[in-house]
Amino acid sequence: MKNQDKALTDIEKLSILLPHWLHHNNDHIRDQEKWVKAAEDAGFTKVADELRRAIGFFKRANRHLEKADLCLKVKIADAP
């Protein structure tokens, strides 16, 4: 029974962490987009391109975090 209690506690934590991670990543994306502009304005095109690639990875990660959050919510809603 203790393992079930711990798992539930971990799942509860995860249900808090997933939205937090999404928000945190979105904050990074907004900041990085500002730096893309700064790099471009300074003539550092390759730097700006790499930052754009990094932003793409953050956005892809967010899609997976969103799916994980949705799956978790569905699973919790379906639990007895």
Side-chain angles (χ1 to χ4, degrees):
M1 187 69 173
K2 287 187 180 186
N3 283 344
Q4 287 179 329
D5 290 343
K6 182 180 179 339
L8 182 60
T9 300
D10 288 345
I11 295 303
E12 289 172 343
K13 288 178 186 176
L14 188 57
S15 71
I16 294 166
L17 285 170
L18 284 167
H20 169 77
W21 291 334
L22 282 162
H23 177 76
H24 186 78
N25 281 358
N26 284 329
D27 286 344
H28 281 295
I29 290 167
R30 280 189 295 278
D31 287 342
Q32 290 165 353
E33 288 172 339
K34 292 175 189 174
W35 288 107
V36 167
K37 174 90 169 92
E40 284 178 334
D41 290 349
F44 290 84
T45 307
K46 289 184 180 184
V47 173
D49 290 343
E50 290 301 322
L51 286 172
R52 278 192 201 88
R53 286 184 183 97
I55 291 167
F57 284 115
F58 272 97
K59 288 179 177 181
R60 281 181 33 200
N62 274 359
R63 286 194 293 273
H64 290 285
L65 291 172
E66 288 168 351
K67 288 179 184 179
D69 190 38
L70 180 60
C71 290
L72 184 62
K73 288 175 180 170
V74 168
K75 186 75 173 173
I76 290 171
D78 289 346

